[in-house]
Amino acid sequence: MSSRRSRSRQSSSSRITEEQINDLVSKLQTILPEARIRSNDRVSAAKVLQETCNYIKSLHREADDLSERLSELLATTDMSSSQAAIIRSLLMQ
């Protein structure tokens, strides 16, 4: 029984407060491109989290598309050309 009490005390001390959740949701809202426009409006936490998930998915798609375009560009570029040197210098940054 004492181990149950100690676990209960530990979990209550590590719980995140509603104020902390609201603060984190507000921070998320400010970094979302679509949410930034209406940051003065009251938006539910669920909506902000859904928009965050959608935004992350779109960033993943964009990164995949850019990676594919870069692969295609590298496949058609003479690796000793000045264009290849520019690509390599951009990749090394």
Side-chain angles (χ1 to χ4, degrees), residues 70 74 77-93:
L70 179 60
L74 289 173
T77 302
D78 176 11
M79 293 313 283
S80 62
S81 71
S82 60
Q83 189 179 28
I86 292 169
I87 292 170
R88 277 194 301 276
S89 70
L90 290 172
L91 292 174
M92 296 308 218
Q93 291 182 2

Side-chain angles (χ1 to χ4, degrees), residues 27-69:
K27 287 177 182 177
L28 274 176
Q29 190 175 5
T30 61
I31 63 172
L32 291 173
E34 296 167 8
R36 214 179 288 156
I37 296 167
R38 59 179 191 282
S39 62
N40 295 334
D41 297 344
R42 180 81 175 138
V43 179
S44 72
K47 180 70 174 167
V48 172
L49 292 173
Q50 183 62 54
E51 287 184 17
T52 301
C53 290
N54 292 340
Y55 184 56
I56 291 170
K57 287 176 188 176
S58 74
L59 290 175
H60 277 285
R61 282 191 301 271
E62 186 176 346
D64 289 344
D65 290 345
L66 289 171
S67 178
E68 187 176 321
R69 287 173 51 195

